[in-house]
Amino acid sequence: QRTAQALLGDSCVIVPEKTAMIGEDFSFFNAGSGAMDDFAGGAPWDDYRSSITTVIFTGGVTYVGAYAFRNCDSLVSIFIPANTTNIHRDSFMHCNSLLSIDVDRANTAYSSHDGTLYNKEMTTLICCPGGTPGTFLIPATVDYVMNAFDGCYSLTDIQVEKGNQHYSSKNGILYNYAGYTLIRCPLGKRGSLSLPDNTVAINPLSFEDCCYLTNIFLPDGVRRIGTGWFKNCTPLTRVHLPDTVTEIEQMVFNGCSS
């Protein structure tokens, strides 16, 4: 508690887990050390989630727990210090206003480029901020994309930098390098979508939460409709299935209320 007050002054409000919030915008500071807990059952600062705009980890926080800042709708920026070398993939899920995740240059595990979180070598794309609008460009160095675009409802196009030998883009949709496996449709795509003729495979949950698509036309060559492919595509009214489809798995249209 003394550490937090030394950093923030007498105006800070101390909440459990050696955390503090200050000012009208409720910037969040963590002045503790070691690993945070996972918070599947809720965090001590749940009552403030809608007010937190900034997260800054200070001191020796080594691990950011699962769901720690889930659904922080007003969160705009995050700063990761040098000591934080483990971040759960769901730490910042559904932060729809998040625009930047910055990392201390001395951090040995993570890096940041244009506000996006990568591993140190920038070969793994970990988290695109949830409020990122328009087009996102995947750098040439990236050879693995995690569930980096989950919750990015303002993202309309995913492009790939020239020279990348692992991924490609067609009509703003992410594909494998050869261009026949669809990996991720950006959540901000709107209206009707016709996939290219050489699309023969679609990764699981590639269209999950695409809440602006109304029609999807699958080309000849697609043989299987996998589990949860169109999950939570709420305005989806029509999906064209080609004659080549021979298998439709479970829960394909879960949450497709239209």
Side-chain angles (χ1 to χ4, degrees):
Q1 191 174 34
R2 286 195 299 272
T3 301
Q5 287 182 336
L7 287 168
L8 306 178
D10 294 335
S11 60
C12 69
V13 178
I14 304 297
V15 293
E17 303 296 327
K18 293 183 180 178
T19 58
M21 298 179 192
I22 183 172
E24 294 181 359
D25 63 350
F26 287 99
S27 294
F28 176 98
F29 291 77
N30 187 312
S33 61
M36 295 176 67
D37 291 331
D38 290 326
F39 297 105
W45 46 87
D46 276 357
D47 290 343
Y48 299 92
R49 283 187 187 272
S50 61
S51 301
I52 297 174
T53 60
T54 305
V55 172
I56 300 175
F57 296 99
T58 62
V61 177
T62 57
Y63 168 68
V64 182
Y67 313 115
F69 301 100
R70 172 179 55 182
N71 297 328
C72 288
D73 294 334
S74 300
L75 181 60
V76 175
S77 63
I78 300 166
F79 178 75
I80 307 296
N83 291 333
T84 303
T85 55
N86 192 2
I87 301 173
H88 194 279
R89 67 178 186 178
D90 294 327
S91 296
F92 306 110
M93 68 184 303
H94 300 301
C95 295
N96 300 332
S97 299
L98 185 61
L99 295 176
S100 67
I101 304 172
D102 294 314
V103 180
D104 191 306
R105 291 187 178 183
N107 192 301
T108 59
Y110 298 104
S111 63
S112 177
H113 177 68
D114 291 338
T116 297
L117 184 64
Y118 298 85
N119 68 337
K120 186 64 176 180
E121 297 78 17
M122 280 189 63
T123 55
T124 299
L125 173 53
I126 298 172
C127 183
C128 175
T132 301
T135 300
F136 182 87
L137 180 66
I138 296 178
T141 55
V142 171
D143 60 23
Y144 179 60
V145 177
M146 297 177 65
N147 56 336
F149 302 109
D150 288 1
C152 295
Y153 293 103
S154 297
L155 192 66
T156 57
D157 292 275
I158 302 172
Q159 298 294 332
V160 179
E161 186 177 25
K162 184 178 180 180
N164 189 302
Q165 298 182 4
H166 300 274
Y167 296 99
S168 63
S169 176
K170 296 182 178 182
N171 300 327
I173 299 173
L174 184 63
Y175 280 78
N176 69 335
Y177 182 69
Y180 56 78
T181 299
L182 191 153
I183 296 173
R184 191 41 157 150
C185 177
L187 303 187
K189 280 288 185 188
R190 295 175 179 269
S192 295
L193 180 65
S194 295
L195 299 185
D197 290 339
N198 59 344
T199 302
V200 296
I202 299 176
N203 277 6
L205 306 178
S206 294
F207 291 98
E208 182 182 16
D209 294 330
C210 286
C211 56
Y212 301 110
L213 289 177
T214 56
N215 299 281
I216 299 176
F217 297 86
L218 303 180
D220 291 338
V222 175
R223 300 181 182 278
R224 182 181 65 88
I225 308 298
T227 300
W229 268 19
F230 306 109
K231 182 180 179 181
N232 296 333
C233 294
T234 48
L236 189 63
T237 58
R238 181 185 180 191
V239 176
H240 170 77
L241 303 181
D243 292 339
T244 52
V245 171
T246 58
E247 181 182 0
I248 299 178
E249 297 185 358
Q250 298 179 346
M251 298 182 292
V252 172
F253 299 106
N254 255 25
C256 296
S257 54
S258 298

